[in-house]
Amino acid sequence: MVQTPSSFNVVIVAQRGRLTYEALLFVASLRYSSPGFAGRVFVAEPQPGPLWPKDPRISDTAARDMLEQLGAEIIPFESQHFGAAYPYGNKIEMLKNLPENEPFVFFDTDTMITGDLCDVPFDFDHPGASLRCEGTWPKPELYGPGYSGLWRSLYDKFGLDFESSLDLSQPDDYWKRYLYFNAGYFFYNCPRKFGTLFETYALGIRDDPPQALCTQEMDPWLDQIALPLVIHALGGGRDALPDGLLDETISCHYRVFPLLYARESDAVIDLLEEVCAPNKIKKVLKSYEPIKRMVYQGRGAKVRALFDRDHLPRREAAIRNRIKSAGFWMR
């Protein structure tokens, strides 16, 4: 059995606006659901610079104070390659500012911890990432290369073995045959080693893509295109964690609050509302309109009434469209 280190670090990225309040909810849910977690909790914050037209730092001082009261450490990082043009690049660039050779788990801020994180059997020597995804990239063209040709071109570019990345139980040229993750969480034994590869691959794909990718959209998928290459290069894969833990019983990547109310379990909704209930948390979170309307003013219950959780539409777009048609979409 893999022994999870007794202490590992958790990191999220926050900046002014929506991510500030998601970050506070994340840290509050971590403290509520995993009170025995002994690792450090980092909130990485991009700093002003030429790649940010406006100051990206957390501007709500009450939210900053509350994050620190909950034991989070706010650490600055400089944006050298992505910034406002590609804010998903924050999760790549901040890794070099984390403690070297210390195991870490990154989570997107639009996540709640819903169970004891200490129960997850992380093998930090074999990295993994979220498998809760759809086949969003690539989109093969009628007369161009298929999935195999497109993905192979990337593995060849970086000198990686393509064949060993395949799930041979899936049909040829079906997206699940190819290593692909949601970048909502990932983990490894050293953030700097992971970050160096992530940055190298992402910049190589953005600035000098293989010829086979000439018709493929890179934005907003760049982080998710590079991530499987990083995981594979470092000896990880799609079987890095047992099923049913992250993205299920231990964490919930809700994405946006209307989607959370539409499709998550009663237990997740109960936990959300309990974590948001303490007055000191409530005073800060009410500054963010979607939490104010959905959680504190009952609009989430109205969204919830639109759906049968046992018979949800298969595609997320259909869920979004129904919420928008009812006038309840917020972000």
Side-chain angles (χ1 to χ4, degrees):
M1 174 181 283
V2 172
Q3 290 294 109
T4 298
S6 58
S7 180
F8 55 91
N9 300 325
V10 166
V11 59
I12 57 177
V13 175
Q15 59 192 78
R16 68 185 303 152
R18 172 175 60 88
L19 270 64
T20 294
Y21 305 102
E22 291 177 350
L24 178 53
L25 178 57
F26 174 90
V27 176
S29 70
L30 171 63
R31 296 309 188 200
Y32 180 91
S33 299
S34 192
F37 176 72
R40 299 167 75 182
V41 180
F42 295 110
V43 177
E45 180 188 52
Q47 300 300 291
L51 297 183
W52 294 102
K54 297 180 180 179
D55 188 339
R57 291 175 295 185
I58 296 169
S59 57
D60 187 327
T61 56
R64 179 184 289 271
D65 290 345
M66 185 55 59
L67 283 165
E68 291 177 340
Q69 286 181 41
L70 291 169
E73 301 176 49
I74 299 174
I75 58 169
F77 70 94
E78 302 294 331
S79 302
Q80 298 177 335
H81 303 291
F82 300 106
Y86 189 69
Y88 298 108
N90 283 340
K91 68 182 70 175
I92 301 173
E93 296 203 75
M94 63 86 188
L95 290 168
K96 60 181 173 287
N97 285 45
L98 298 182
E100 190 170 14
N101 296 323
E102 292 186 13
F104 77 96
V105 187
F106 165 83
F107 288 98
D108 274 346
T109 51
D110 51 358
T111 302
M112 287 196 306
I113 301 302
T114 52
D116 193 343
L117 198 58
C118 302
D119 289 342
V120 180
F122 293 108
D123 179 357
F124 286 102
D125 293 333
H126 297 91
S130 174
L131 290 169
R132 189 178 182 183
C133 58
E134 298 178 351
T136 48
W137 192 92
K139 298 294 184 186
E141 299 287 332
L142 182 60
Y143 297 109
Y147 281 97
S148 287
L150 294 166
W151 277 115
R152 183 185 291 276
S153 71
L154 286 168
Y155 284 77
D156 288 348
K157 176 178 176 63
F158 297 110
L160 302 174
D161 180 64
F162 174 63
E163 302 297 336
S164 61
S165 74
L166 301 176
D167 180 354
L168 299 180
S169 70
Q170 299 290 341
D172 191 26
D173 257 11
Y174 176 55
W175 73 270
K176 285 190 176 182
R177 185 179 178 91
Y178 310 93
L179 201 60
Y180 192 55
F181 300 103
N182 184 306
Y185 77 77
F186 51 82
F187 60 89
Y188 188 51
N189 61 24
C190 177
R192 298 192 188 184
K193 185 175 180 181
F194 195 101
T196 297
L197 270 187
F198 209 172
E199 185 173 285
T200 297
Y201 292 170
L203 293 176
I205 294 165
R206 184 192 71 179
D207 299 338
D208 184 27
Q211 178 80 27
L213 303 187
C214 64
T215 64
Q216 295 295 313
E217 293 287 339
M218 300 297 182
D219 192 349
W221 316 117
L222 181 61
D223 60 329
Q224 294 191 178
I225 301 169
L227 182 58
L229 305 176
V230 178
I231 298 284
H232 188 63
L234 294 174
R238 50 178 71 79
D239 58 350
L241 285 179
D243 293 338
L245 298 177
L246 295 187
D247 286 334
E248 292 196 37
T249 60
I250 304 295
S251 69
C252 172
H253 189 192
Y254 57 84
R255 305 279 296 285
V256 293
F257 287 95
L259 287 179
L260 192 162
Y261 274 95
R263 64 189 181 185
E264 302 301 340
S265 69
D266 290 345
V268 169
I269 301 300
D270 290 345
L271 185 142
L272 165 68
E273 296 182 349
E274 190 153 353
V275 168
C276 290
N279 280 331
K280 62 181 182 179
I281 300 288
K282 182 177 181 179
K283 287 179 181 178
V284 181
L285 290 180
K286 282 178 69 175
S287 300
Y288 179 51
E289 197 73 6
I291 293 181
K292 178 181 176 181
R293 300 292 183 195
M294 290 282 161
V295 179
Y296 296 119
Q297 296 184 350
R299 189 174 293 182
K302 294 179 180 179
V303 170
R304 198 156 180 79
L306 297 174
F307 298 93
D308 175 357
R309 249 66 56 198
D310 294 327
H311 301 92
L312 286 171
R314 293 184 62 185
R315 301 287 293 181
E316 182 180 299
I319 300 175
R320 288 172 178 257
N321 289 340
R322 189 180 301 178
I323 297 170
K324 290 176 182 177
S325 294
F328 295 144
W329 185 258
M330 302 185 76
R331 183 169 192 176

